[in-house]
Amino acid sequence: MPCKCRKGVMVDFDFAAIDGAAAMHKAASSVFGSMELEKEFGKAAEARYFAGRPFVDGARDFLSAVKSRRAPEKTAELLESRFESILAEFLRETALEPVKAFFEAVSGAGLTVAVVSRLEPSLVAQAVGAVPESDGFVFHREVQPLYCGLRRDLWRHVAARYGLDHLKSVAVTGTQAGLKAALMSAVPVAAVVREHVAFMDFGGADVVAGKFDSDLAKNIFALLKL
């Protein structure tokens, strides 16, 4: 039976549409800055102990490295809570015109748009300028215990849940972990590379952009041969 799945765009909203990697770093710096540690938390520690890993694993290794006896489980909970709070702040402070222009373009092209975020769907929908479950939009809440990461099967899961052909849809992400998850699932991928994640390896991305805007949408249309 021929597949009736649709083409679509799946967006890692927290790390592509807004600068979630910078928000994550700010959250971790805030949590560890409140502790009396022998070594400050910085980008090097973030890359070595945390990037793409479970919060609790990163916390355990970093706390061990700085000879702290704080509980990694409790620290991981603090990191997640602080991140969600700062992520919401970043959303409020982000200039949303380019973001809305992207979503207007992909929706206007007749593509199904799956927006993935750990934030409340109503909050994200308001930022996108769309009504959930209308105009081809779906809002998928995904709260993951990973630092700047996505579980490896997320893109295939989202595609299957919302009736998308994963081979003919595009995942849009802003982290190396999100890119790897797409490559492992054979999902075409567009990467938004901001300053904070510029050191990461984005090799294998079908599209690489520095901004999340209507120009990115045009590049995705070319990738999908629309």
Side-chain angles (χ1 to χ4, degrees):
M1 178 180 294
C3 178
K4 296 182 179 179
C5 297
R6 299 161 291 177
K7 288 184 177 182
V9 176
M10 299 175 287
V11 179
D12 179 4
F13 186 85
D14 301 344
F15 293 96
I18 56 179
D19 196 354
M24 185 79 84
H25 184 78
K26 183 177 179 179
S29 297
S30 173
V31 169
F32 291 121
S34 67
M35 302 177 182
E36 294 182 358
L37 303 177
E38 67 175 32
K39 181 180 179 181
E40 290 186 0
F41 175 84
K43 287 187 176 182
E46 179 181 57
R48 180 175 181 180
Y49 298 110
F50 285 93
R53 303 181 67 205
F55 284 99
V56 68
D57 290 350
R60 180 180 297 109
D61 290 350
F62 177 66
L63 291 172
S64 176
V66 297
K67 298 179 174 59
S68 173
R69 295 184 178 180
R70 290 180 178 270
E73 293 80 9
K74 181 62 176 179
T75 302
E77 290 177 6
L78 289 172
L79 286 169
E80 288 199 70
S81 176
R82 187 62 177 144
F83 171 56
E84 190 157 331
S85 174
I86 291 180
L87 186 66
E89 291 179 8
F90 269 52
L91 176 58
R92 290 191 294 270
E93 295 169 0
T94 297
L96 292 174
E97 288 78 8
V99 175
K100 290 181 178 180
F102 172 91
F103 285 110
E104 287 175 2
V106 294
S107 176
L111 296 169
T112 297
V113 187
V115 187
V116 181
S117 175
R118 71 184 293 125
L119 298 173
E120 288 290 343
S122 59
L123 185 63
V124 179
Q126 183 179 14
V128 169
V131 178
E133 311 303 333
S134 70
D135 300 325
F137 280 88
V138 291
F139 292 85
H140 180 88
R141 192 175 192 201
E142 185 79 19
V143 179
Q144 301 187 62
L146 299 174
Y147 192 106
C148 289
L150 295 174
R151 59 188 176 94
R152 293 181 177 181
D153 66 340
L154 176 68
W155 300 120
R156 290 288 290 270
H157 170 74
V158 170
R161 180 167 180 175
Y162 300 108
L164 300 178
D165 184 338
H166 71 278
L167 297 174
K168 297 180 180 178
S169 296
V170 176
V172 186
T173 187
T175 66
Q176 182 178 330
L179 169 66
K180 286 185 175 180
L183 295 176
M184 292 181 66
S185 296
V187 177
V189 57
V192 181
V193 182
R194 291 189 173 86
E195 180 181 358
H196 194 80
V197 298
F199 72 94
M200 295 181 178
D201 181 6
F202 287 93
D206 297 282
V207 173
V208 177
K211 297 180 180 179
F212 187 90
D213 55 16
S214 57
D215 287 337
L216 173 60
K218 293 175 182 177
N219 289 329
I220 289 175
F221 298 158
L223 180 60
L224 291 175
K225 296 180 171 56
L226 295 179

